[in-house]
Amino acid sequence: DAKTTQPNSMESNEEEPVHLPCNHSTISGTDYIHWYRQLPSQGPEYVIHGLTSNVNNRMASLAIAEDRKSSTLILHRATLRDAAVYYCILTSHNTDKLIFGTGTRLQVFP
Amino acid sequence: DTAVSQTPKYLVTQMGNDKSIKCEQNLGHDTMYWYKQDSKKFLKIMFSYNNKELIINETVPNRFSPKSPDKAHLNLHINSLELGDSAVYFCASSQGRPYTGELFFGEGSRLTVL
């Protein structure tokens, strides 16, 4: 499975945009980029996923580099509730599991 | 109406005991998983079932035995509990393989072995 690299931690102020980076230089053509987050004392929660094009949903936006070797999860206006560990995960059509790395711990300050 | 529910939420027990954690999903999904999150917060997959058939067994000790009586349920039985089994266990479900969409996780079952 191709690996991802994320910063250990990031900080943001409430109501500011947050850009969470993820490097995946060994990504293959069939790998999808998934983002999950885990709020304190809760199970992981799906955020967004994409293959090649940028994606938007009600929670966030996913910007994928043209060469697909990196991606950025964008939270448009951080809230205190967005404080969580964010995981960037690659998975392909022949993978039966999600493999979680160490993720990025996002702190949001009032 | 909880999509993936686990019981019990907390479990405290002595070394050597046998315990079970139950998981149910009401999403109509065909695939269910068990993940373990240790004290360092590292999430690791243990098992996966698709339509009641075991498809992933990640070198988990034989003391751990999953059982899927039907597509909506995946239970985890642990024999002869050890201190190292203390962790939070998460159940999850998906429709098909993970790349197609999202996994839905339960809230976790915190197991403490004394």
Side-chain angles (χ1 to χ4, degrees), chain B residues 67-86:
Chain B
K67 280 189 174 55
S68 181
D70 55 58
K71 283 196 323 181
H73 296 85
L74 180 60
N75 304 322
L76 183 64
H77 187 76
I78 315 169
N79 291 325
S80 304
L81 278 157
E82 300 178 357
L83 293 176
D85 298 331
S86 295

Side-chain angles (χ1 to χ4, degrees), chain A residues 2-65:
Chain A
K3 289 195 171 183
T4 64
T5 304
Q6 300 177 252
N8 287 335
S9 62
M10 291 185 65
E11 297 178 351
S12 174
N13 294 319
E14 212 176 358
E15 298 190 8
E16 289 184 355
V18 181
H19 290 232
L20 296 163
C22 181
N23 286 323
H24 28 79
S25 58
T26 59
I27 191 171
S28 74
T30 57
D31 283 336
Y32 286 75
I33 303 160
H34 289 248
W35 284 82
Y36 281 74
R37 71 180 185 180
Q38 187 173 18
L39 279 65
S41 301
Q42 293 191 27
E45 173 187 36
Y46 168 84
V47 178
I48 201 166
H49 79 285
L51 183 60
T52 56
S53 303
N54 294 344
V55 184
N56 300 301
N57 67 19
R58 62 175 179 80
M59 288 181 71
S61 295
L62 176 59
I64 301 173

Side-chain angles (χ1 to χ4, degrees), chain B residues 22-100:
Chain B
K22 296 187 176 181
C23 179
E24 176 182 6
Q25 54 95 3
N26 61 7
L27 299 166
H29 288 166
D30 60 4
T31 306
M32 295 185 72
Y33 312 80
W34 277 111
Y35 279 82
K36 177 182 179 181
Q37 188 166 43
D38 58 25
S39 57
K40 295 183 179 177
K41 305 294 185 183
F42 188 62
L43 262 169
K44 187 174 180 184
I45 188 163
M46 301 173 68
F47 301 103
S48 174
Y49 273 74
N50 176 263
N51 285 315
K52 302 193 300 175
E53 298 295 323
L54 179 68
I55 55 172
I56 294 175
N57 182 343
E58 290 283 314
T59 58
V60 178
N62 291 339
R63 300 182 295 103
F64 291 79
S65 52
K67 280 189 174 55
S68 181
D70 55 58
K71 283 196 323 181
H73 296 85
L74 180 60
N75 304 322
L76 183 64
H77 187 76
I78 315 169
N79 291 325
S80 304
L81 278 157
E82 300 178 357
L83 293 176
D85 298 331
S86 295
V88 182
Y89 292 85
F90 290 100
C91 177
S93 74
S94 67
Q95 181 57 34
R97 285 181 159 146
Y99 85 96
T100 62

Side-chain angles (χ1 to χ4, degrees), chain B residues 12-19 63 78-82 113:
Chain B
V12 181
T13 188
Q14 301 285 333
M15 277 176 57
N17 284 350
D18 304 337
K19 291 294 177 186
R63 300 182 295 103
I78 315 169
N79 291 325
S80 304
L81 278 157
E82 300 178 357
V113 182

